[in-house]
Amino acid sequence: MNRVFYRQGLMAFFLLTMTLLMAGCGQSDKAEELYFEGKTMGTTYHIKVFAESSKVAGVDLHPEIKQVLKDVNQSMSTYIPDSEINQFNQLPAGQVMPISADFRNVVAESIRLGESTKTLDVTMGPLIDLWGFGPDKKPTKRPSDEALAAMVAKIGVDKLELTDAGLMKTIDGLELSFSATAKGYGIDKVAQVIESHGFTNYMVEIGGELRVSGIKPNNITWKIAIEQPDAEPGVRKVHKVIEPGTNGIATSGDYRIFYEMDGVTYSHLIDPVTGMPSRHDLVSVTVLHPSAMTADGLATAITVMGMEKAQKYAEEHDLPVYLIGKSDNGLVTYSSPAFKPYL
């Protein structure tokens, strides 16, 4: 399992606080369901497409779906020796590398989100490893301030240059890790395959991240459950059910992946500016966006901000965002104005 999707899989499959409410799906005589499942990016995928029987006769989407997911993995997995991302990570500073359209799309959106939020950084893989949330075991002691400062100085999307000719790093040793955007991009690519065949009613899920479109049979809308973040360990409870319409859906939080050391709890969500794990009152963030990749990246970035900054960012950018925070009196919630229509 590669490091890129290992991290992302943990954040999404265990932390992404969503479960599909598929009960009461209801079938009409004219509707037919196409269902596909498999493994990709170190996790699993499940896909449902609904269409009239006459339109799905003889249609086999799965080979195309498997191919686009294979292509995304080949481009963005750090555990495939000759992957596109590994080729870039091994380059010295100042050398421009021509890149594929898929790689360009993910890099461009990752840079945009990094510059906008200041809390999403696709170059911070080594910093995450330093805190023990990568594939290596957790550290036996807290990284020193000097080590953190040195690491922060070596990362940042400002050290990437994306041009028509390709991508270049301006500092030696800079590495990319699309842990917060690549899986969502895979979902978007699968959605493109589905829509290219004229289907508009579907659900694509990879490791807990989602994109839904249209409706289910009998005009039933898609309903998605946000998980209760303070449920007992091993127990999954529904916090709230939403109707996301046609959107990508991503949830991030800091309540399942953490460790304690010297009496201090360290979250897996790291602030790339300070180099420190986030320690604040925000425990769960759900974001809706037409692009699953963008929703994926924003959910991670907004979680790192904390409740107050997250609310401000969501309102300034008119984003559909649902926040769950903790207080002395229990959980508190916030729905951005753009999110309220989906409740």
Side-chain angles (χ1 to χ4, degrees), residues 56-70:
V56 301
V59 175
D60 187 2
L61 297 174
H62 209 188
E64 287 185 66
I65 289 170
K66 289 190 287 188
Q67 185 60 53
V68 298
L69 291 175
K70 181 180 178 181

PDB file of all heavy atoms in Angstrom, residues 56-70:
ATOM      1  N   VAL A  56     -29.247   0.385 -20.421  1.00  0.00           N
ATOM      2  CA  VAL A  56     -28.089  -0.311 -19.852  1.00  0.00           C
ATOM      3  C   VAL A  56     -27.827  -1.648 -20.525  1.00  0.00           C
ATOM      4  O   VAL A  56     -26.825  -2.300 -20.236  1.00  0.00           O
ATOM      5  CB  VAL A  56     -28.261  -0.526 -18.330  1.00  0.00           C
ATOM      6  CG1 VAL A  56     -28.433   0.802 -17.616  1.00  0.00           C
ATOM      7  CG2 VAL A  56     -29.428  -1.457 -18.037  1.00  0.00           C
ATOM      8  N   ALA A  57     -28.707  -2.047 -21.420  1.00  0.00           N
ATOM      9  CA  ALA A  57     -28.539  -3.325 -22.089  1.00  0.00           C
ATOM     10  C   ALA A  57     -27.217  -3.349 -22.858  1.00  0.00           C
ATOM     11  O   ALA A  57     -26.948  -2.494 -23.704  1.00  0.00           O
ATOM     12  CB  ALA A  57     -29.712  -3.577 -23.051  1.00  0.00           C
ATOM     13  N   GLY A  58     -26.379  -4.329 -22.552  1.00  0.00           N
ATOM     14  CA  GLY A  58     -25.119  -4.479 -23.253  1.00  0.00           C
ATOM     15  C   GLY A  58     -24.023  -3.522 -22.818  1.00  0.00           C
ATOM     16  O   GLY A  58     -22.920  -3.541 -23.368  1.00  0.00           O
ATOM     17  N   VAL A  59     -24.277  -2.679 -21.821  1.00  0.00           N
ATOM     18  CA  VAL A  59     -23.284  -1.704 -21.359  1.00  0.00           C
ATOM     19  C   VAL A  59     -22.450  -2.325 -20.236  1.00  0.00           C
ATOM     20  O   VAL A  59     -22.992  -2.853 -19.267  1.00  0.00           O
ATOM     21  CB  VAL A  59     -23.955  -0.407 -20.856  1.00  0.00           C
ATOM     22  CG1 VAL A  59     -22.919   0.534 -20.263  1.00  0.00           C
ATOM     23  CG2 VAL A  59     -24.695   0.269 -21.994  1.00  0.00           C
ATOM     24  N   ASP A  60     -21.129  -2.258 -20.370  1.00  0.00           N
ATOM     25  CA  ASP A  60     -20.228  -2.744 -19.316  1.00  0.00           C
ATOM     26  C   ASP A  60     -19.238  -1.626 -18.984  1.00  0.00           C
ATOM     27  O   ASP A  60     -18.243  -1.432 -19.673  1.00  0.00           O
ATOM     28  CB  ASP A  60     -19.483  -3.993 -19.781  1.00  0.00           C
ATOM     29  CG  ASP A  60     -18.662  -4.621 -18.660  1.00  0.00           C
ATOM     30  OD1 ASP A  60     -18.715  -4.106 -17.522  1.00  0.00           O
ATOM     31  OD2 ASP A  60     -17.968  -5.621 -18.923  1.00  0.00           O
ATOM     32  N   LEU A  61     -19.548  -0.903 -17.929  1.00  0.00           N
ATOM     33  CA  LEU A  61     -18.713   0.233 -17.534  1.00  0.00           C
ATOM     34  C   LEU A  61     -17.464  -0.187 -16.781  1.00  0.00           C
ATOM     35  O   LEU A  61     -16.502   0.585 -16.719  1.00  0.00           O
ATOM     36  CB  LEU A  61     -19.523   1.188 -16.647  1.00  0.00           C
ATOM     37  CG  LEU A  61     -20.743   1.872 -17.253  1.00  0.00           C
ATOM     38  CD1 LEU A  61     -21.469   2.660 -16.160  1.00  0.00           C
ATOM     39  CD2 LEU A  61     -20.343   2.786 -18.393  1.00  0.00           C
ATOM     40  N   HIS A  62     -17.468  -1.365 -16.200  1.00  0.00           N
ATOM     41  CA  HIS A  62     -16.413  -1.708 -15.252  1.00  0.00           C
ATOM     42  C   HIS A  62     -15.007  -1.711 -15.856  1.00  0.00           C
ATOM     43  O   HIS A  62     -14.067  -1.225 -15.206  1.00  0.00           O
ATOM     44  CB  HIS A  62     -16.713  -3.050 -14.589  1.00  0.00           C
ATOM     45  CG  HIS A  62     -16.147  -3.154 -13.216  1.00  0.00           C
ATOM     46  ND1 HIS A  62     -16.137  -4.312 -12.474  1.00  0.00           N
ATOM     47  CD2 HIS A  62     -15.540  -2.224 -12.416  1.00  0.00           C
ATOM     48  CE1 HIS A  62     -15.576  -4.100 -11.303  1.00  0.00           C
ATOM     49  NE2 HIS A  62     -15.191  -2.843 -11.244  1.00  0.00           N
ATOM     50  N   PRO A  63     -14.804  -2.234 -17.063  1.00  0.00           N
ATOM     51  CA  PRO A  63     -13.444  -2.168 -17.623  1.00  0.00           C
ATOM     52  C   PRO A  63     -12.915  -0.742 -17.737  1.00  0.00           C
ATOM     53  O   PRO A  63     -11.741  -0.490 -17.430  1.00  0.00           O
ATOM     54  CB  PRO A  63     -13.612  -2.817 -19.005  1.00  0.00           C
ATOM     55  CG  PRO A  63     -14.764  -3.757 -18.828  1.00  0.00           C
ATOM     56  CD  PRO A  63     -15.701  -3.028 -17.913  1.00  0.00           C
ATOM     57  N   GLU A  64     -13.754   0.188 -18.154  1.00  0.00           N
ATOM     58  CA  GLU A  64     -13.322   1.584 -18.241  1.00  0.00           C
ATOM     59  C   GLU A  64     -13.035   2.159 -16.863  1.00  0.00           C
ATOM     60  O   GLU A  64     -12.064   2.902 -16.672  1.00  0.00           O
ATOM     61  CB  GLU A  64     -14.393   2.422 -18.939  1.00  0.00           C
ATOM     62  CG  GLU A  64     -14.512   2.205 -20.429  1.00  0.00           C
ATOM     63  CD  GLU A  64     -15.507   3.165 -21.044  1.00  0.00           C
ATOM     64  OE1 GLU A  64     -15.243   4.386 -21.046  1.00  0.00           O
ATOM     65  OE2 GLU A  64     -16.559   2.687 -21.513  1.00  0.00           O
ATOM     66  N   ILE A  65     -13.886   1.842 -15.907  1.00  0.00           N
ATOM     67  CA  ILE A  65     -13.692   2.335 -14.545  1.00  0.00           C
ATOM     68  C   ILE A  65     -12.376   1.823 -13.968  1.00  0.00           C
ATOM     69  O   ILE A  65     -11.592   2.587 -13.386  1.00  0.00           O
ATOM     70  CB  ILE A  65     -14.880   1.914 -13.648  1.00  0.00           C
ATOM     71  CG1 ILE A  65     -16.135   2.706 -14.036  1.00  0.00           C
ATOM     72  CG2 ILE A  65     -14.547   2.122 -12.168  1.00  0.00           C
ATOM     73  CD1 ILE A  65     -17.398   2.210 -13.380  1.00  0.00           C
ATOM     74  N   LYS A  66     -12.129   0.534 -14.129  1.00  0.00           N
ATOM     75  CA  LYS A  66     -10.879  -0.034 -13.611  1.00  0.00           C
ATOM     76  C   LYS A  66      -9.664   0.586 -14.280  1.00  0.00           C
ATOM     77  O   LYS A  66      -8.625   0.799 -13.635  1.00  0.00           O
ATOM     78  CB  LYS A  66     -10.894  -1.555 -13.786  1.00  0.00           C
ATOM     79  CG  LYS A  66     -11.854  -2.271 -12.849  1.00  0.00           C
ATOM     80  CD  LYS A  66     -11.677  -3.778 -12.877  1.00  0.00           C
ATOM     81  CE  LYS A  66     -12.199  -4.378 -14.146  1.00  0.00           C
ATOM     82  NZ  LYS A  66     -12.191  -5.875 -14.099  1.00  0.00           N
ATOM     83  N   GLN A  67      -9.776   0.900 -15.554  1.00  0.00           N
ATOM     84  CA  GLN A  67      -8.641   1.483 -16.262  1.00  0.00           C
ATOM     85  C   GLN A  67      -8.335   2.897 -15.785  1.00  0.00           C
ATOM     86  O   GLN A  67      -7.165   3.246 -15.567  1.00  0.00           O
ATOM     87  CB  GLN A  67      -8.901   1.505 -17.772  1.00  0.00           C
ATOM     88  CG  GLN A  67      -7.705   1.979 -18.592  1.00  0.00           C
ATOM     89  CD  GLN A  67      -6.482   1.109 -18.419  1.00  0.00           C
ATOM     90  OE1 GLN A  67      -6.563  -0.109 -18.593  1.00  0.00           O
ATOM     91  NE2 GLN A  67      -5.350   1.699 -18.055  1.00  0.00           N
ATOM     92  N   VAL A  68      -9.370   3.724 -15.583  1.00  0.00           N
ATOM     93  CA  VAL A  68      -9.094   5.098 -15.133  1.00  0.00           C
ATOM     94  C   VAL A  68      -8.537   5.104 -13.715  1.00  0.00           C
ATOM     95  O   VAL A  68      -7.658   5.916 -13.385  1.00  0.00           O
ATOM     96  CB  VAL A  68     -10.344   6.015 -15.231  1.00  0.00           C
ATOM     97  CG1 VAL A  68     -10.809   6.150 -16.658  1.00  0.00           C
ATOM     98  CG2 VAL A  68     -11.467   5.546 -14.332  1.00  0.00           C
ATOM     99  N   LEU A  69      -9.004   4.194 -12.873  1.00  0.00           N
ATOM    100  CA  LEU A  69      -8.463   4.111 -11.519  1.00  0.00           C
ATOM    101  C   LEU A  69      -7.019   3.613 -11.544  1.00  0.00           C
ATOM    102  O   LEU A  69      -6.174   4.088 -10.771  1.00  0.00           O
ATOM    103  CB  LEU A  69      -9.329   3.196 -10.657  1.00  0.00           C
ATOM    104  CG  LEU A  69     -10.722   3.728 -10.319  1.00  0.00           C
ATOM    105  CD1 LEU A  69     -11.530   2.682  -9.561  1.00  0.00           C
ATOM    106  CD2 LEU A  69     -10.639   5.020  -9.521  1.00  0.00           C
ATOM    107  N   LYS A  70      -6.722   2.686 -12.443  1.00  0.00           N
ATOM    108  CA  LYS A  70      -5.343   2.217 -12.603  1.00  0.00           C
ATOM    109  C   LYS A  70      -4.440   3.349 -13.063  1.00  0.00           C
ATOM    110  O   LYS A  70      -3.312   3.509 -12.584  1.00  0.00           O
ATOM    111  CB  LYS A  70      -5.296   1.064 -13.605  1.00  0.00           C
ATOM    112  CG  LYS A  70      -3.909   0.492 -13.827  1.00  0.00           C
ATOM    113  CD  LYS A  70      -3.933  -0.663 -14.835  1.00  0.00           C
ATOM    114  CE  LYS A  70      -2.535  -1.204 -15.086  1.00  0.00           C
ATOM    115  NZ  LYS A  70      -2.555  -2.317 -16.083  1.00  0.00           N
TER     116      LYS A  70
END
